[in-house]
Every structure is written in structure tokens, then in C-alpha cells.
Amino acid sequence: MLNSCRIFLTWGVKFSFLLLLAMLFVRTAEAATYNLSSGSYPPCNSSWSVSGSTYTCGARVSLGTGDIITASGNVTIYANDGFSLANNTTVGSASVAINLTSNYGTITSSGTTTVYGTVNAGSGVVTLNNAVINGALTSTGNINLTGGSVSGLVTSTSNTITTNGTNLSGGATAQSGMSITGGTLAGNFTMTANNAVTFSGVTMTSGSITGASTVTIQNGSVMGSSSNAITVSSNNGAITVNNSTVY
């Protein structure tokens, strides 16, 4: 009976060890590091070409879970059909900017993505979930952000900006409308056409709100402070403040 227990325990330890090795192998196989300067490129549905510091994919660039893109100096990745960024991906670093530029395709992230550089979607829609963008974010299409943060100016030159729980420290500019829910804000929030803006449950530490047809501030928003006033104006409609504080 004792020998049987020992055999069982031995095989149990071996099985656990093999299972752990298999899990580590799968995790390693899923994640990859691409060093553009060394000629290592992320998956592209077409072919790659290089001109100076610009790396061009003829179709769409897709990063898998945990993937990392690095380079020895500041570069731009241009993808005609946009970018798909999976969970826990990193593009660039604090010392090296890697800018992402799309022609017409969407730019999407599924969670916990960090980009050190600007993001330009061309005419594509931007949909980011828990992404940290250390730079400006621009598109002519709609921009939809959930969680995460953007350090630079967020601009939709022809459409709307919609955020939920996203920290915006560089302001935002939109044409067709702006709906900001939650998050900490700073900078100038500007409408380039006579359309409405809504701020709901936000904290705005500095900046201004201008250019909109109407402005709605609601659901416990705090705009400015006793030592730092916020400028709020509309073109021709009402400025409505519900259950919020505006300095």
C-alpha cells in the first residue's frame, strides 16, 4: 500500500511539472517581440516595405496577446487597413516613439494596450478598450474609447468622440458631437461645428469647453476648482448643469 502511494505521488508530481511546462510553452508561443530595426516585423496581411523610418504594411497589422514592437529609434508604422491590437500589447517605449498610422482601416484594441507614439486612423473608426496612448489620437471617423488614457489631443475631424472612463489630459476636438462619461480631463474641449457636447460624471482639472451648440454637464461632474476656473461657453444654445459643480 505504501509503495502504491509513493508511485501515485511520483506520477502526480511529474504530471504537474509537465502541465506547468506546457502552460509556459503555450504562453511563450503566444507572445512575440518584433524589433523593426532588426528586420523583424509583426503579422501583416500583405507585404512589408521600408523607406527610411517608415515601415509600411500593404494591408492590416495584427498583434497577438502579449506582443511587443520595438525599434532603435523613432519610427512610423503605416498600415493601409489599420491595426488590431490584442490584450497586453506594447508598441514603442518611453524613450522610443512608434507612431501608428492607418489609411482607411479601423484601429482596435481588446484591452491593456500601451502605445508610445501618436495614433492616426485616417478615415477609419477607432475603438479602444483600456488602451494607454502616450501621444495624440486622430481620425476623420468616429472615436470610441473605454477606460485607459490619452495624453495628447484627441481629434475627430469629421465625426464624434465618445468616451467612458477614459482619462484625457490633452483635450479633445470633434465636429459631429462629443459625449464624455467619467474619467479625469484636462485641456481644451472644442467643437468645430454647431453640435452638442455632454459631460457626465467627469472631473475636469483645467481647460475650456467651447464651440458647441449646447453644453450639458451632469451626474456629479466637477469642473475646475476654486483656484482654477474652467471656461464654458456655447455658440447659441443652453448650458445646462445638473447635480454638478462648475468653477
Side-chain angles (χ1 to χ4, degrees), residues 5-33:
C5 290
R6 286 175 178 172
I7 293 172
F8 177 78
L9 288 172
T10 300
W11 278 106
V13 170
K14 288 182 178 179
F15 178 78
S16 298
F17 179 70
L18 291 173
L19 181 61
L20 178 60
L21 285 178
M23 291 174 64
L24 289 173
F25 175 78
V26 169
R27 183 175 181 182
T28 302
E30 285 180 349
T33 296

mmCIF file of all heavy atoms in Angstrom, residues 5-33:
data_model
loop_
_atom_site.group_PDB
_atom_site.id
_atom_site.type_symbol
_atom_site.label_atom_id
_atom_site.label_comp_id
_atom_site.label_asym_id
_atom_site.label_seq_id
_atom_site.Cartn_x
_atom_site.Cartn_y
_atom_site.Cartn_z
ATOM 1 N N CYS A 5 1.190 4.324 -2.921
ATOM 2 C CA CYS A 5 1.053 5.751 -2.642
ATOM 3 C C CYS A 5 2.236 6.521 -3.201
ATOM 4 O O CYS A 5 2.083 7.609 -3.764
ATOM 5 C CB CYS A 5 0.928 5.992 -1.137
ATOM 6 S SG CYS A 5 -0.632 5.416 -0.438
ATOM 7 N N ARG A 6 3.470 5.909 -2.997
ATOM 8 C CA ARG A 6 4.664 6.586 -3.493
ATOM 9 C C ARG A 6 4.627 6.715 -5.009
ATOM 10 O O ARG A 6 4.995 7.746 -5.576
ATOM 11 C CB ARG A 6 5.911 5.818 -3.060
ATOM 12 C CG ARG A 6 6.235 5.988 -1.591
ATOM 13 C CD ARG A 6 7.407 5.123 -1.181
ATOM 14 N NE ARG A 6 7.745 5.326 0.217
ATOM 15 C CZ ARG A 6 8.636 4.581 0.866
ATOM 16 N NH1 ARG A 6 9.251 3.566 0.228
ATOM 17 N NH2 ARG A 6 8.892 4.825 2.134
ATOM 18 N N ILE A 7 4.193 5.640 -5.690
ATOM 19 C CA ILE A 7 4.100 5.681 -7.151
ATOM 20 C C ILE A 7 3.103 6.732 -7.591
ATOM 21 O O ILE A 7 3.340 7.493 -8.522
ATOM 22 C CB ILE A 7 3.707 4.287 -7.692
ATOM 23 C CG1 ILE A 7 4.844 3.305 -7.448
ATOM 24 C CG2 ILE A 7 3.354 4.361 -9.177
ATOM 25 C CD1 ILE A 7 4.472 1.874 -7.771
ATOM 26 N N PHE A 8 1.965 6.785 -6.902
ATOM 27 C CA PHE A 8 0.919 7.758 -7.236
ATOM 28 C C PHE A 8 1.430 9.185 -7.068
ATOM 29 O O PHE A 8 1.246 10.044 -7.934
ATOM 30 C CB PHE A 8 -0.305 7.518 -6.354
ATOM 31 C CG PHE A 8 -1.410 8.518 -6.589
ATOM 32 C CD1 PHE A 8 -2.244 8.399 -7.696
ATOM 33 C CD2 PHE A 8 -1.588 9.591 -5.722
ATOM 34 C CE1 PHE A 8 -3.242 9.334 -7.910
ATOM 35 C CE2 PHE A 8 -2.574 10.517 -5.934
ATOM 36 C CZ PHE A 8 -3.421 10.378 -7.033
ATOM 37 N N LEU A 9 2.140 9.420 -5.941
ATOM 38 C CA LEU A 9 2.673 10.756 -5.696
ATOM 39 C C LEU A 9 3.723 11.129 -6.733
ATOM 40 O O LEU A 9 3.790 12.261 -7.207
ATOM 41 C CB LEU A 9 3.270 10.820 -4.287
ATOM 42 C CG LEU A 9 2.260 10.825 -3.131
ATOM 43 C CD1 LEU A 9 2.993 10.701 -1.801
ATOM 44 C CD2 LEU A 9 1.422 12.106 -3.157
ATOM 45 N N THR A 10 4.578 10.150 -7.088
ATOM 46 C CA THR A 10 5.626 10.417 -8.077
ATOM 47 C C THR A 10 5.029 10.817 -9.409
ATOM 48 O O THR A 10 5.431 11.797 -10.035
ATOM 49 C CB THR A 10 6.521 9.178 -8.253
ATOM 50 O OG1 THR A 10 7.126 8.869 -7.001
ATOM 51 C CG2 THR A 10 7.601 9.446 -9.298
ATOM 52 N N TRP A 11 4.037 10.051 -9.868
ATOM 53 C CA TRP A 11 3.396 10.382 -11.144
ATOM 54 C C TRP A 11 2.608 11.686 -11.049
ATOM 55 O O TRP A 11 2.535 12.453 -12.016
ATOM 56 C CB TRP A 11 2.475 9.234 -11.575
ATOM 57 C CG TRP A 11 3.239 8.128 -12.243
ATOM 58 C CD1 TRP A 11 3.549 6.897 -11.739
ATOM 59 C CD2 TRP A 11 3.818 8.179 -13.544
ATOM 60 N NE1 TRP A 11 4.281 6.164 -12.621
ATOM 61 C CE2 TRP A 11 4.460 6.922 -13.761
ATOM 62 C CE3 TRP A 11 3.874 9.140 -14.551
ATOM 63 C CZ2 TRP A 11 5.131 6.626 -14.932
ATOM 64 C CZ3 TRP A 11 4.537 8.832 -15.723
ATOM 65 C CH2 TRP A 11 5.159 7.604 -15.917
ATOM 66 N N GLY A 12 2.054 11.955 -9.860
ATOM 67 C CA GLY A 12 1.322 13.216 -9.688
ATOM 68 C C GLY A 12 2.237 14.416 -9.808
ATOM 69 O O GLY A 12 1.909 15.415 -10.456
ATOM 70 N N VAL A 13 3.439 14.319 -9.205
ATOM 71 C CA VAL A 13 4.418 15.409 -9.298
ATOM 72 C C VAL A 13 4.876 15.591 -10.732
ATOM 73 O O VAL A 13 4.987 16.710 -11.242
ATOM 74 C CB VAL A 13 5.613 15.133 -8.372
ATOM 75 C CG1 VAL A 13 6.729 16.137 -8.644
ATOM 76 C CG2 VAL A 13 5.174 15.211 -6.909
ATOM 77 N N LYS A 14 5.161 14.469 -11.414
ATOM 78 C CA LYS A 14 5.601 14.542 -12.802
ATOM 79 C C LYS A 14 4.534 15.167 -13.694
ATOM 80 O O LYS A 14 4.825 15.992 -14.560
ATOM 81 C CB LYS A 14 5.944 13.142 -13.324
ATOM 82 C CG LYS A 14 7.235 12.569 -12.756
ATOM 83 C CD LYS A 14 7.535 11.222 -13.356
ATOM 84 C CE LYS A 14 8.862 10.665 -12.831
ATOM 85 N NZ LYS A 14 9.135 9.324 -13.402
ATOM 86 N N PHE A 15 3.279 14.755 -13.482
ATOM 87 C CA PHE A 15 2.183 15.296 -14.290
ATOM 88 C C PHE A 15 2.044 16.805 -14.079
ATOM 89 O O PHE A 15 1.890 17.566 -15.036
ATOM 90 C CB PHE A 15 0.873 14.589 -13.927
ATOM 91 C CG PHE A 15 -0.310 15.139 -14.679
ATOM 92 C CD1 PHE A 15 -0.531 14.782 -16.013
ATOM 93 C CD2 PHE A 15 -1.196 16.021 -14.066
ATOM 94 C CE1 PHE A 15 -1.626 15.288 -16.699
ATOM 95 C CE2 PHE A 15 -2.272 16.535 -14.743
ATOM 96 C CZ PHE A 15 -2.488 16.160 -16.077
ATOM 97 N N SER A 16 2.135 17.241 -12.813
ATOM 98 C CA SER A 16 2.027 18.670 -12.514
ATOM 99 C C SER A 16 3.165 19.450 -13.167
ATOM 100 O O SER A 16 2.968 20.540 -13.709
ATOM 101 C CB SER A 16 2.042 18.911 -11.003
ATOM 102 O OG SER A 16 0.932 18.277 -10.392
ATOM 103 N N PHE A 17 4.380 18.873 -13.127
ATOM 104 C CA PHE A 17 5.535 19.537 -13.716
ATOM 105 C C PHE A 17 5.379 19.656 -15.230
ATOM 106 O O PHE A 17 5.643 20.706 -15.823
ATOM 107 C CB PHE A 17 6.797 18.755 -13.375
ATOM 108 C CG PHE A 17 8.056 19.341 -13.955
ATOM 109 C CD1 PHE A 17 8.571 20.541 -13.471
ATOM 110 C CD2 PHE A 17 8.714 18.702 -14.999
ATOM 111 C CE1 PHE A 17 9.720 21.088 -14.018
ATOM 112 C CE2 PHE A 17 9.864 19.242 -15.542
ATOM 113 C CZ PHE A 17 10.370 20.442 -15.056
ATOM 114 N N LEU A 18 4.924 18.575 -15.860
ATOM 115 C CA LEU A 18 4.725 18.593 -17.307
ATOM 116 C C LEU A 18 3.618 19.569 -17.703
ATOM 117 O O LEU A 18 3.724 20.264 -18.722
ATOM 118 C CB LEU A 18 4.384 17.177 -17.805
ATOM 119 C CG LEU A 18 5.520 16.157 -17.739
ATOM 120 C CD1 LEU A 18 5.003 14.766 -18.094
ATOM 121 C CD2 LEU A 18 6.659 16.553 -18.668
ATOM 122 N N LEU A 19 2.589 19.629 -16.902
ATOM 123 C CA LEU A 19 1.495 20.566 -17.174
ATOM 124 C C LEU A 19 1.985 22.003 -17.087
ATOM 125 O O LEU A 19 1.646 22.849 -17.920
ATOM 126 C CB LEU A 19 0.350 20.336 -16.191
ATOM 127 C CG LEU A 19 -0.894 21.238 -16.370
ATOM 128 C CD1 LEU A 19 -1.508 21.003 -17.739
ATOM 129 C CD2 LEU A 19 -1.913 20.942 -15.272
ATOM 130 N N LEU A 20 2.820 22.282 -16.074
ATOM 131 C CA LEU A 20 3.378 23.625 -15.920
ATOM 132 C C LEU A 20 4.255 23.989 -17.111
ATOM 133 O O LEU A 20 4.179 25.104 -17.638
ATOM 134 C CB LEU A 20 4.187 23.706 -14.630
ATOM 135 C CG LEU A 20 4.879 25.057 -14.343
ATOM 136 C CD1 LEU A 20 3.843 26.162 -14.237
ATOM 137 C CD2 LEU A 20 5.706 24.969 -13.070
ATOM 138 N N LEU A 21 5.084 23.051 -17.558
ATOM 139 C CA LEU A 21 5.931 23.302 -18.721
ATOM 140 C C LEU A 21 5.097 23.578 -19.960
ATOM 141 O O LEU A 21 5.417 24.466 -20.756
ATOM 142 C CB LEU A 21 6.838 22.097 -18.978
ATOM 143 C CG LEU A 21 8.029 21.907 -18.034
ATOM 144 C CD1 LEU A 21 8.790 20.642 -18.415
ATOM 145 C CD2 LEU A 21 8.955 23.116 -18.091
ATOM 146 N N ALA A 22 4.018 22.828 -20.124
ATOM 147 C CA ALA A 22 3.145 23.020 -21.283
ATOM 148 C C ALA A 22 2.495 24.392 -21.267
ATOM 149 O O ALA A 22 2.400 25.063 -22.296
ATOM 150 C CB ALA A 22 2.064 21.933 -21.318
ATOM 151 N N MET A 23 2.057 24.825 -20.087
ATOM 152 C CA MET A 23 1.428 26.141 -19.962
ATOM 153 C C MET A 23 2.434 27.242 -20.289
ATOM 154 O O MET A 23 2.105 28.220 -20.964
ATOM 155 C CB MET A 23 0.867 26.320 -18.551
ATOM 156 C CG MET A 23 -0.325 25.432 -18.248
ATOM 157 S SD MET A 23 -0.845 25.534 -16.518
ATOM 158 C CE MET A 23 -1.365 27.244 -16.435
ATOM 159 N N LEU A 24 3.668 27.096 -19.788
ATOM 160 C CA LEU A 24 4.704 28.088 -20.066
ATOM 161 C C LEU A 24 5.038 28.121 -21.550
ATOM 162 O O LEU A 24 5.260 29.187 -22.133
ATOM 163 C CB LEU A 24 5.960 27.785 -19.255
ATOM 164 C CG LEU A 24 5.858 28.028 -17.750
ATOM 165 C CD1 LEU A 24 7.113 27.528 -17.056
ATOM 166 C CD2 LEU A 24 5.642 29.517 -17.445
ATOM 167 N N PHE A 25 5.056 26.953 -22.193
ATOM 168 C CA PHE A 25 5.353 26.888 -23.617
ATOM 169 C C PHE A 25 4.274 27.585 -24.438
ATOM 170 O O PHE A 25 4.565 28.349 -25.360
ATOM 171 C CB PHE A 25 5.481 25.435 -24.061
ATOM 172 C CG PHE A 25 5.673 25.290 -25.544
ATOM 173 C CD1 PHE A 25 6.915 25.524 -26.117
ATOM 174 C CD2 PHE A 25 4.610 24.937 -26.370
ATOM 175 C CE1 PHE A 25 7.103 25.402 -27.495
ATOM 176 C CE2 PHE A 25 4.791 24.821 -27.739
ATOM 177 C CZ PHE A 25 6.040 25.037 -28.298
ATOM 178 N N VAL A 26 3.013 27.331 -24.085
ATOM 179 C CA VAL A 26 1.899 27.959 -24.800
ATOM 180 C C VAL A 26 1.948 29.463 -24.638
ATOM 181 O O VAL A 26 1.776 30.227 -25.587
ATOM 182 C CB VAL A 26 0.549 27.402 -24.300
ATOM 183 C CG1 VAL A 26 -0.607 28.240 -24.833
ATOM 184 C CG2 VAL A 26 0.396 25.956 -24.732
ATOM 185 N N ARG A 27 2.215 29.928 -23.407
ATOM 186 C CA ARG A 27 2.273 31.363 -23.156
ATOM 187 C C ARG A 27 3.411 32.008 -23.949
ATOM 188 O O ARG A 27 3.257 33.082 -24.524
ATOM 189 C CB ARG A 27 2.464 31.619 -21.657
ATOM 190 C CG ARG A 27 2.461 33.098 -21.303
ATOM 191 C CD ARG A 27 2.539 33.308 -19.812
ATOM 192 N NE ARG A 27 2.516 34.729 -19.491
ATOM 193 C CZ ARG A 27 2.616 35.210 -18.265
ATOM 194 N NH1 ARG A 27 2.710 34.392 -17.243
ATOM 195 N NH2 ARG A 27 2.595 36.506 -18.063
ATOM 196 N N THR A 28 4.578 31.318 -23.991
ATOM 197 C CA THR A 28 5.710 31.846 -24.743
ATOM 198 C C THR A 28 5.410 31.875 -26.230
ATOM 199 O O THR A 28 5.754 32.821 -26.940
ATOM 200 C CB THR A 28 6.957 30.987 -24.480
ATOM 201 O OG1 THR A 28 7.227 30.982 -23.075
ATOM 202 C CG2 THR A 28 8.172 31.522 -25.226
ATOM 203 N N ALA A 29 4.748 30.828 -26.728
ATOM 204 C CA ALA A 29 4.444 30.748 -28.151
ATOM 205 C C ALA A 29 3.464 31.828 -28.567
ATOM 206 O O ALA A 29 3.494 32.284 -29.706
ATOM 207 C CB ALA A 29 3.882 29.363 -28.466
ATOM 208 N N GLU A 30 2.591 32.238 -27.665
ATOM 209 C CA GLU A 30 1.570 33.230 -27.999
ATOM 210 C C GLU A 30 2.168 34.623 -28.139
ATOM 211 O O GLU A 30 1.716 35.419 -28.945
ATOM 212 C CB GLU A 30 0.482 33.242 -26.926
ATOM 213 C CG GLU A 30 -0.459 32.051 -26.993
ATOM 214 C CD GLU A 30 -1.515 32.104 -25.916
ATOM 215 O OE1 GLU A 30 -1.382 32.939 -25.004
ATOM 216 O OE2 GLU A 30 -2.478 31.332 -25.980
ATOM 217 N N ALA A 31 3.158 34.964 -27.344
ATOM 218 C CA ALA A 31 3.704 36.317 -27.329
ATOM 219 C C ALA A 31 4.987 36.380 -28.144
ATOM 220 O O ALA A 31 5.781 35.444 -28.168
ATOM 221 C CB ALA A 31 3.971 36.761 -25.894
ATOM 222 N N ALA A 32 5.170 37.526 -28.833
ATOM 223 C CA ALA A 32 6.375 37.701 -29.648
ATOM 224 C C ALA A 32 6.864 39.134 -29.527
ATOM 225 O O ALA A 32 6.073 40.055 -29.287
ATOM 226 C CB ALA A 32 6.080 37.363 -31.104
ATOM 227 N N THR A 33 8.166 39.323 -29.682
ATOM 228 C CA THR A 33 8.759 40.657 -29.710
ATOM 229 C C THR A 33 9.299 40.912 -31.114
ATOM 230 O O THR A 33 10.076 40.110 -31.644
ATOM 231 C CB THR A 33 9.891 40.779 -28.680
ATOM 232 O OG1 THR A 33 9.352 40.628 -27.362
ATOM 233 C CG2 THR A 33 10.552 42.144 -28.780
#
